[in-house]
Structure formats: C-alpha cells, structure tokens
C-alpha cells in the first residue's frame, strides 16, 4: 500500500485489491421519490433511462479491481437483490445486510 499526500487529501493506492471491499449504502427511505420508491429501492431505480446509479458504482469498483461489495438494505430490499443477484453478471461478489431499522448516514 502506498500513500500520496496532496495537501488537502491523502489518497491510498493498493497494489493488490483482492482483499479490499466496499459497502454501498442502500438502506435509505427515498421519501422524495415516493410513490415510486414504495415499489423499487433507489439503488435499483433506472437513472435517466440508463442503468441504476448503484450499477454504475458496482461497475466502477470492478473496473478498479474491487470485487467484494456489500450493500445494506431496508426499503424494498428484494428489488435490489433481484436486480444485482450475487453480482456474478458484473464480475463482482455482492453480499447483502438487511437493516430492520435504518441507522442513517
């Protein structure tokens, strides 16, 4: 692992990303998107006729070599699980954590 300091932010670069994982925060209530968000969770919602925002994140992480992805879920969790599955079609390994009560960000 190497660190690069720019004065404002430190960036960390991993030489091997096999053990690096990320969590996509997906348990929000999406109240501003109601009533649509009662049917489909915001991370699985198509964005401007294209793929959902969470798919864009998953693809970017895989492009960066990060394949271990977790998503926390709450509202309409099956819409996210149904869309992403185990992550295989994105060359990722996606696991899910269901939150009974959202903890906030």
């Amino acid at each position: 692992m190497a660190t690069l300091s720019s004065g404002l932010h430190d960036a960390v670069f991993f030489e091997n990303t096999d053990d690096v994982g990320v969590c996509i925060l997906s348990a929000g209530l999406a109240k501003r998107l109601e009533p649509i968000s009662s049917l489909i969770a915001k991370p699985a919602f198509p964005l401007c006729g294209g793929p959902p925002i969470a798919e864009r994140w998953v693809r970017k992480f895989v492009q960066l070599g990060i394949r271990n992805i977790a998503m926390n879920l709450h509202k309409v969790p099956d819409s996210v699980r149904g869309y992403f599955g185990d992550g295989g079609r994105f060359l990722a390994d996606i696991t899910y954590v269901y939150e009974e009560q959202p903890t906030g960000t």
Side-chain angles (χ1 to χ4, degrees), residues 28-46:
L29 298 176
K31 290 182 179 182
R32 290 176 289 188
L33 293 175
E34 289 179 348
I36 295 169
S37 64
S38 64
L39 302 173
I40 186 167
K42 187 165 66 171
F45 191 79

Side-chain angles (χ1 to χ4, degrees), residues 1-7 9-15:
M1 178 171 53
T3 304
L4 174 67
S5 182
S6 66
H9 297 76
D10 289 337
V12 177
F13 299 94
F14 295 91
E15 294 173 14

Side-chain angles (χ1 to χ4, degrees), residues 24-70:
I24 297 175
L25 302 178
S26 309
L29 298 176
K31 290 182 179 182
R32 290 176 289 188
L33 293 175
E34 289 179 348
I36 295 169
S37 64
S38 64
L39 302 173
I40 186 167
K42 187 165 66 171
F45 191 79
L47 190 63
C48 299
I53 190 72
E55 179 181 337
R56 296 167 194 229
W57 296 333
V58 167
R59 290 188 184 280
K60 183 52 112 175
F61 288 131
V62 169
Q63 183 182 36
L64 293 170
I66 301 170
R67 290 175 172 71
N68 299 316
I69 300 172

Side-chain angles (χ1 to χ4, degrees), residues 52-100:
I53 190 72
E55 179 181 337
R56 296 167 194 229
W57 296 333
V58 167
R59 290 188 184 280
K60 183 52 112 175
F61 288 131
V62 169
Q63 183 182 36
L64 293 170
I66 301 170
R67 290 175 172 71
N68 299 316
I69 300 172
M71 290 184 174
N72 67 332
L73 305 176
H74 176 70
K75 189 173 183 178
V76 201
D78 291 337
S79 65
V80 177
R81 277 194 210 105
Y83 188 87
F84 291 98
D86 66 359
R89 71 183 174 118
F90 304 102
L91 303 176
D93 180 19
I94 299 177
T95 57
Y96 303 96
V97 178
Y98 180 74
E99 292 187 8
E100 291 287 332

